[in-house]
Amino acid sequence: MTAATDSLVVTDLRVEFDGFVAVGGVSFDAHPGEVRFLIGPNGAGKTTCIDAITGLSKGSGSVKLGDQELLGKAVNKIVRLGVGRTFQTATVFEQLSVLQNLDIAAGLHRSSFSLLRARRGVDPAIERALEETGLSGERETPAGILSHGQKQWLEIGMMLVQEPRALLLDEPVAGMSQDERTATGELLQRIAQRRIVLVVEHDMDFMRRYASRVTVLHQGKVLSEGTVAQVQADPKVQEVYLGTAGAATTAAMLVVADAGADETTAVTDADADVALSQGTGA
């Protein structure tokens, strides 16, 4: 069991927009040492949960990082408490080099005096981020000419140099090649050894390969929670994603999870992704 001081604990989180309940009483937790996934159909409330945790949306209930309550705090204060967040589209300074991007991000926690003072060499936190993200060989490369995957890794690196306790990622592998998805999954596993990693994702193959635990949201509520195998075997998840006609596909998904058959994976991934994209809710 991970110490509570190292955990992100969400309890009865509610988010409403003009009377519309986008998130209706969601509870889950995340700990260092696991890659935690939030999945669900479009409109299930996944990104809204992340927005509430990071202060971008107003919510009620409780969100604690260790013993610190996050709800009600400003975005910048939540960042300073150790919560980093990436978005579906990487936000980097495209005219600047990889190293310059990381140096700007590292300056968040430096005093005004230290920012003005000339620095010798590269901050050790930046060197660690370059190594961890696999961008050491790209330090002088302008961010604008990096591949899509490399830009995502740079944004993750810009979070890492701030030494976050929790890293929240919104669809980090969208648009990536297979090799980039694999490298990203391995990166998240490395990061999760020392930090909380919470991932919102639609890529079902990526989820199956790298999730430690999964929470499934549907219409703003928790539908199911557990390991990948437990969630895929849950009749409620099968009904929401696949309907009564999806029993054979569900069985095949379980075979894939156990046996890793490449040809079956290609078929079931497509079925699962279609089910996700067609899900209803708000």
Side-chain angles (χ1 to χ4, degrees):
M1 178 67 69
T2 305
T5 54
D6 297 327
S7 301
L8 177 70
V9 180
V10 177
T11 305
D12 195 27
L13 177 63
R14 296 182 60 87
V15 180
E16 297 186 19
F17 299 108
D18 296 326
F20 171 74
V21 179
V23 177
V26 166
S27 299
F28 63 89
D29 52 45
H31 314 284
E34 62 178 3
V35 182
R36 193 73 161 82
F37 273 67
L38 288 182
I39 68 170
N42 288 334
K46 307 179 299 296
T47 297
T48 304
C49 281
I50 301 299
D51 287 345
I53 292 170
T54 55
L56 292 177
S57 292
K58 184 178 180 181
S60 62
S62 175
V63 176
K64 285 193 173 183
L65 180 61
D67 59 359
Q68 290 278 348
E69 178 62 54
L70 302 183
L71 289 189
K73 287 185 169 57
V75 172
N76 64 311
K77 291 185 178 179
I78 292 174
V79 170
R80 291 186 179 277
L81 286 172
V83 179
R85 187 255 176 87
T86 67
F87 293 84
Q88 294 177 16
T89 301
T91 305
V92 299
F93 300 101
E94 297 204 346
Q95 302 304 315
L96 301 181
S97 70
V98 167
L99 186 61
Q100 289 170 321
N101 271 269
L102 293 172
D103 191 50
I104 289 171
L108 175 68
H109 295 298
R110 292 202 298 261
S111 67
S112 299
F113 175 76
S114 67
L115 288 172
L116 293 172
R117 186 177 58 198
R119 298 189 299 281
R120 297 178 180 179
V122 177
D123 189 318
I126 294 177
E127 290 288 7
R128 289 194 298 271
L130 286 167
E131 181 68 25
E132 199 159 18
T133 58
L135 293 174
S136 294
E138 306 291 345
R139 62 178 62 206
E140 300 302 333
T141 302
I145 66 173
L146 294 175
S147 71
H148 174 68
Q150 288 174 322
K151 287 180 181 178
Q152 293 287 356
W153 302 337
L154 175 55
E155 186 174 34
I156 291 173
M158 291 169 71
M159 298 296 103
L160 293 179
V161 296
Q162 298 171 35
E163 298 293 345
R165 296 161 61 192
L167 188 59
L168 284 52
L169 303 102
D170 196 352
E171 297 189 35
V173 299
M176 287 189 183
S177 68
Q178 183 59 52
D179 287 345
E180 288 175 333
R181 287 198 293 271
T182 298
T184 301
E186 293 172 351
L187 170 60
L188 297 185
Q189 288 179 328
R190 292 194 299 272
I191 295 171
Q193 293 175 11
R194 298 182 293 114
R195 296 179 175 89
I196 297 161
V197 174
L198 178 63
V199 182
V200 168
E201 190 51 74
H202 278 303
D203 188 315
M204 298 300 287
D205 177 57
F206 184 74
M207 182 272 292
R208 282 197 295 271
R209 291 175 65 189
Y210 297 107
S212 304
R213 286 193 297 145
V214 182
T215 295
V216 184
L217 300 183
H218 178 57
Q219 296 183 340
K221 297 181 180 295
V222 174
L223 180 70
S224 183
E225 186 171 86
T227 65
V228 172
Q230 289 170 336
V231 164
Q232 289 183 156
D234 189 330
K236 298 190 300 293
V237 176
Q238 297 172 17
E239 180 180 356
V240 167
Y241 281 170
L242 303 173
T244 56
T249 301
T250 302
M253 288 172 69
L254 296 175
V255 170
V256 169
D258 292 334
D262 292 339
E263 292 183 0
T264 309
T265 298
V267 175
T268 55
D269 281 350
D271 291 341
D273 288 339
V274 168
L276 277 172
S277 64
Q278 291 179 346
T280 59

